[in-house]
Amino acid sequence: MAVTLEQAQRVGYTCLKALLRFAFMVANNLVAIPSYVLYLIVLQPLRILDSKSFWYIEGVLFKWLLAMVASWGWWAGYTVVEWGDDVKAVSEDEAMVLVNHQATGDVCTLMMCLQDKGTVVRQMMWLMDHIFKYTNFGIVSLIHGDFFIRQGRAHRDQQLVLLKDHLEKYYRSRNRKWIVLFPEGGFLRKRRETSQAFAKKNNLPFLKHVTLPRLGATQVILKTLVAPQENGIPSGGDAVRKGSKSKGLQWVIDTTIAYPKAEPIDIQTWILGYRQPTVTHVHYRIFPVKDVPAEPEALTNWLYQRFIEKEDLLTHFYETGAFPSPQGQTKAISREMTLSNLWLVAIQSFAFLSGGMWYCLFQYLYHCLF
């Protein structure tokens, strides 16, 4: 079939836009990430004298970096509509966030929709696959104190021990509040077949839109971060005792991400912007941690039930274009998440000005020394 002039122009425009966006993203990374690192190197004396203030500043810079990533999608028309419980109400409390995982764009979506949730972004910790350590953002996550987990049965036990040690060492000392993890342990398309086979073998529900979650990291987080007097955990909460002012983990936020037509956005699309503007839908449900069982078998069943509910939520969404109304209500209420373009421009400007400042400083030092 012959290509019309209008179609050729549209393709050409899309390619040009993608090229320009990619160039901007590269430039953005080249100035923003080194600036983040250099600011924190300069501030090392403050880390020794006043650790709390140092990690406050680091958290602000971290939030701005995530806002830059959010801006790439926001300016491409990849917006978010939120459903369910209002998580702003618990933004100052400690919470574990359980998220379904479909594609690399899930992380970008969370970076966007959590920007307007108070101090959450600057005080959050991420659990992510170890491969992300070797990406351009890896150095930032390492400094911030995120945990990179290695997948696979051969590494599982060791990784859980390392996770416990990591939480005890960094979670409260850096005043973290929310911890985000993807309990499925991988992307939906990669784990679905294995998960369905496991479900069939163990007489569990057949799931299409999510996979059965894994228990390990969730259990370690609860044992380590929940206050000993809660949840029937007499020997847990090591990190809580080390941070005497902390109330411990108080909430579990079950988060479900849904894409129209079940077509997830990946990081390449987020960067290049070649897909038409898309609204991603995010559903929240908040559970008090005291209602979450501690015993492994009961916790496994509780966690499975959350993902069975996710399956029902996503089935309803793909059939109707909306999430179902909460029990006892006649209509589900959605909230359009917004970002300030002026704020995003200000952050981007700060990044490029910082990059220019560091470049001039190093040029000056070079000429002074040589």
Side-chain angles (χ1 to χ4, degrees):
M1 185 174 65
V3 178
T4 66
L5 178 59
E6 183 180 353
Q7 290 173 325
Q9 289 175 335
R10 190 182 301 118
V11 171
Y13 171 75
T14 301
C15 292
L16 177 62
K17 183 178 71 172
L19 182 62
L20 291 174
R21 283 177 59 87
F22 182 73
F24 176 79
M25 183 275 295
V26 171
N28 202 178
N29 276 268
L30 288 175
V31 296
I33 294 177
S35 293
Y36 166 88
V37 175
L38 289 168
Y39 276 126
L40 296 182
I41 290 175
V42 170
L43 288 171
Q44 285 304 302
L46 178 63
R47 182 179 181 180
I48 298 172
L49 297 172
D50 187 353
S51 176
K52 184 177 180 180
S53 295
F54 173 85
W55 289 113
Y56 175 87
I57 295 171
E58 184 279 333
V60 171
L61 295 175
F62 182 79
K63 179 177 180 177
W64 289 355
L65 284 177
L66 267 60
M68 293 177 201
V69 176
S71 72
W72 305 340
W74 181 257
W75 288 334
Y78 304 147
T79 57
V80 172
V81 167
E82 298 176 305
W83 304 73
D85 295 333
D86 184 1
V87 295
K88 287 183 180 179
V90 298
S91 62
E92 296 299 320
D93 298 333
E94 291 188 21
M96 176 173 62
V97 185
L98 307 175
V99 193
N100 62 312
H101 209 10
Q102 301 178 65
T104 48
D106 298 341
V107 175
C108 300
T109 296
L110 290 173
M111 288 180 177
M112 175 185 286
C113 64
L114 296 180
Q115 283 291 326
D116 67 343
K117 306 299 186 294
T119 62
V120 163
V121 173
R122 67 177 177 84
Q123 293 181 294
M124 72 195 312
M125 178 182 286
W126 297 76
L127 264 65
M128 58 188 76
D129 192 279
H130 80 287
I131 196 66
F132 286 102
K133 184 188 296 186
Y134 307 105
T135 66
N136 60 315
F137 212 77
I139 182 64
V140 174
S141 290
L142 279 170
I143 294 172
H144 184 69
D146 296 329
F147 184 77
F148 299 93
I149 192 163
R150 187 180 292 273
Q151 303 292 344
R153 186 174 301 176
H155 308 284
R156 193 168 298 161
D157 292 341
Q158 180 195 30
Q159 291 298 298
L160 295 179
V161 172
L162 293 174
L163 173 59
K164 183 178 186 297
D165 293 342
H166 185 88
L167 292 173
E168 292 178 346
K169 185 175 182 180
Y170 297 117
Y171 193 81
R172 298 247 156 62
S173 66
R174 299 185 182 184
N175 195 29
R176 298 296 173 245
K177 295 292 186 182
W178 284 21
I179 183 165
V180 181
L181 68 154
F182 301 90
E184 291 165 293
F187 298 138
L188 174 64
R189 67 178 186 277
K190 294 183 176 181
R191 291 211 61 243
R192 178 159 41 198
E193 186 175 339
T194 303
S195 176
Q196 290 173 345
F198 177 83
K200 183 177 180 180
K201 182 179 178 180
N202 292 275
N203 197 29
L204 294 168
F206 183 87
L207 306 177
K208 295 190 299 182
H209 306 306
V210 294
T211 65
L212 290 169
R214 293 170 176 172
L215 177 67
T218 303
Q219 186 176 33
V220 168
I221 291 168
L222 290 171
K223 282 187 174 181
T224 308
L225 300 182
V226 174
Q229 70 272 17
E230 297 179 16
N231 206 33
I233 307 179
S235 59
D238 295 337
V240 179
R241 284 193 288 271
K242 292 178 182 179
S244 58
K245 293 183 179 180
S246 173
K247 296 180 181 179
L249 200 72
Q250 294 174 269
W251 310 100
V252 175
I253 303 175
D254 186 29
T255 304
T256 304
I257 299 176
Y259 299 94
K261 300 180 182 179
E263 297 175 354
I265 298 176
D266 55 28
I267 187 66
Q268 298 94 322
T269 305
W270 195 270
I271 292 170
L272 300 177
Y274 51 77
R275 183 167 166 177
Q276 291 298 311
T278 302
V279 179
T280 301
H281 296 257
V282 180
H283 184 280
Y284 305 106
R285 189 177 177 195
I286 301 174
F287 295 88
V289 77
K290 62 183 178 60
D291 294 340
V292 180
E295 193 275 324
E297 184 176 352
L299 178 58
T300 299
N301 292 332
W302 184 90
L303 198 57
Y304 281 176
Q305 188 58 41
R306 300 290 73 77
F307 277 76
I308 292 169
E309 291 173 0
K310 285 181 185 291
E311 176 78 10
D312 294 337
L313 286 171
L314 290 169
T315 299
H316 189 279
F317 177 84
Y318 295 140
E319 291 174 352
T320 66
F323 284 112
S325 58
Q327 188 174 5
Q329 299 183 20
T330 58
K331 184 179 180 181
I333 305 299
S334 63
R335 305 173 295 275
E336 186 176 348
M337 183 262 163
T338 60
L339 290 175
S340 167
N341 286 314
L342 181 61
W343 178 61
L344 294 176
V345 169
I347 291 171
Q348 295 284 6
S349 299
F350 175 77
F352 283 100
L353 288 172
S354 295
M357 178 194 71
W358 290 115
Y359 176 78
C360 292
L361 178 60
F362 282 116
Q363 284 285 328
Y364 174 76
L365 292 175
Y366 177 80
H367 288 300
C368 287
L369 295 173
F370 302 101

